[in-house]
Amino acid sequence: MTEYDTSIVIPTYNDEATLAACLESLESMNYPGSFNTIIVDGHSKDDTISIAEKYDCDVIFEDKGTISYARELGVEKSDSEFVAFTDADCVVPENWLSTLINHFDDNGKVAAVGGPNITPEDDSTFAKSVGDVLSLLSGAGARYGFEGKETREIYHNPTCNVVYRREVIEEVGGFNHDLITVDDEEMDYRIREQDYKILYTPEAEVLHYRRPSWKSFTKMGYRYGLGRAQATKLHPEMGEWFHFAPSSIILLLALFLGNAVRSRSWVKRFAGTLSLGVMGIVSMSVFLSAKRNRWTQLPVYVILISIWFWSWGVGFIKGLCQNT
């Protein structure tokens, strides 16, 4: 059996629209080592598997329907020193893998290295707006849209652009299969608890095609809120104030609305809180429009930020209420 120094794991499900471009970019990499690509599929109903086979990928299937389980199966399938992760809707540059690998140290204290994920220029106008909003939200501390300009230690790299030492993943117990999302950040938390370092480098950016529709963006917000709550219940230290803000405001609005039948003062509280929230979202949207110089997208920004607020907040509430 061929031994590889790096395995690249890509979870898939009905990704025929983007997978070929992803695999083409991997095939075109300038990498001095050896690597194999492992597709972990959730039983796609389109041509995802035939595309993967065309590029000579190793294909395995997962039956739990969670991306964390797919990633863990990919690690188990690998036989390499390093395990890289990217997504089926990403395109990597030719130096992607070599750049990430070069940042590992010789003493083994660097457990993972990742980079930014950038919205491609040829993405749709709507998807570019999604990318803008995700980048704005990263300003509060979220890692997903982060675009730092310096190589430095960081708390987490999303699995659309990261390489791990395989032995470290195994040492900390791998990905948590019970988490809907945020499983990669939760594992990074456990890695850092073992005094390993996680590095970010701007030198290894990937192009990441964004959610193409209102429905997919709403689902993303809901699932990220749900996963964040699940992870925070496991590790309270992972929770930040901005994670709790949307759900807290939603519950406050529900309280005011529920008591509105008793007194007009509750109606005023509800209207006042809702008005402040709307003003905040509009202000964020105006700021983003000015920053990106995309004033025609102002209404889209307002709706996208509103959707994220409500979908994340509802998902977070459900995650807190679930038994884990």
Side-chain angles (χ1 to χ4, degrees):
M1 182 176 66
T2 302
E3 292 188 1
Y4 303 96
D5 64 11
T6 305
S7 295
I8 303 172
V9 176
I10 306 175
T12 59
Y13 181 71
N14 292 343
D15 288 310
E16 65 176 5
T18 58
L19 182 59
C22 175
L23 297 179
E24 185 70 33
S25 70
L26 294 176
E27 197 173 75
S28 302
M29 282 193 306
N30 180 18
Y31 181 59
S34 59
F35 72 91
N36 66 324
T37 302
I38 302 171
I39 299 294
V40 188
D41 188 72
H43 299 281
S44 292
K45 299 175 176 60
D46 61 5
D47 289 332
T48 295
I49 299 306
S50 61
I51 293 171
E53 291 172 344
K54 176 182 176 182
Y55 285 88
D56 199 28
C57 299
D58 298 326
V59 178
I60 57 177
F61 296 91
E62 63 88 12
D63 298 311
K64 289 189 176 182
T66 63
I67 197 167
S68 56
Y69 184 58
R71 290 167 179 151
E72 186 65 18
L73 284 181
V75 174
E76 294 176 3
K77 176 70 174 179
S78 68
D79 59 356
S80 53
E81 179 181 1
F82 298 100
V83 181
F85 293 89
T86 191
D87 290 341
D89 54 0
C90 290
V91 173
V92 308
E94 64 176 13
N95 64 344
W96 174 64
L97 200 52
S98 58
T99 299
L100 292 174
I101 295 294
N102 285 340
H103 280 84
F104 283 89
D105 58 356
D106 294 330
N107 61 18
K109 295 308 294 182
V110 174
V113 183
N117 60 99
I118 308 299
T119 307
E121 287 297 325
D122 63 345
D123 215 345
S124 68
T125 300
F126 175 82
K128 288 179 180 177
S129 297
V130 169
D132 291 343
V133 168
L134 293 174
S135 178
L136 175 69
L137 295 173
S138 73
R143 170 62 183 85
Y144 189 84
F146 179 73
E147 300 176 14
K149 304 302 181 184
E150 298 179 353
T151 298
R152 64 182 180 87
E153 190 171 349
I154 199 169
Y155 72 97
H156 164 62
N157 288 303
T159 43
C160 59
N161 183 6
V162 68
V163 175
Y164 290 90
R165 290 188 191 274
R166 185 174 184 273
E167 63 181 14
V168 175
I169 296 179
E170 295 175 340
E171 178 183 335
V172 301
F175 293 92
N176 187 331
H177 303 170
D178 294 327
L179 298 180
I180 298 299
T181 55
V182 195
D183 52 290
D184 49 354
E185 185 178 339
E186 192 272 339
M187 186 177 74
D188 283 353
Y189 173 86
R190 287 183 276 120
I191 287 173
R192 289 185 292 107
E193 286 290 289
Q194 299 301 316
D195 293 325
Y196 288 106
K197 295 180 179 179
I198 296 172
L199 298 184
Y200 164 90
T201 175
E203 302 168 1
E205 70 178 34
V206 302
L207 301 179
H208 195 173
Y209 289 88
R210 306 303 182 182
R211 294 301 192 275
S213 67
W214 298 103
K215 181 179 179 180
S216 59
F217 180 75
T218 303
K219 183 177 180 180
M220 177 185 179
Y222 173 79
R223 289 174 63 84
Y224 271 74
L226 175 58
R228 173 61 62 180
Q230 292 176 324
T232 301
K233 288 166 67 177
L234 287 175
H235 311 288
E237 298 86 356
M238 290 182 64
E240 301 286 353
W241 68 267
F242 49 84
H243 296 145
F244 292 87
S247 55
S248 298
I249 295 173
I250 289 172
L251 292 174
L252 193 63
L253 286 171
L255 174 65
F256 291 163
L257 188 61
N259 285 280
V261 295
R262 300 181 182 179
S263 169
R264 292 187 62 182
S265 64
W266 289 102
V267 177
K268 292 179 180 179
R269 292 187 181 98
F270 174 82
T273 303
L274 186 62
S275 297
L276 287 174
V278 171
M279 289 173 59
I281 290 173
V282 171
S283 297
M284 292 170 65
S285 302
V286 170
F287 171 80
L288 185 55
S289 298
K291 181 179 179 180
R292 300 291 186 178
N293 195 25
R294 300 184 67 198
W295 290 101
T296 58
Q297 294 303 106
L298 176 59
V300 178
Y301 291 148
V302 171
I303 298 172
L304 285 173
I305 295 173
S306 300
I307 287 175
W308 188 268
F309 175 90
W310 286 96
S311 60
W312 169 284
V314 171
F316 194 85
I317 292 170
K318 182 175 181 179
L320 290 178
C321 294
Q322 278 185 337
N323 293 323
T324 55

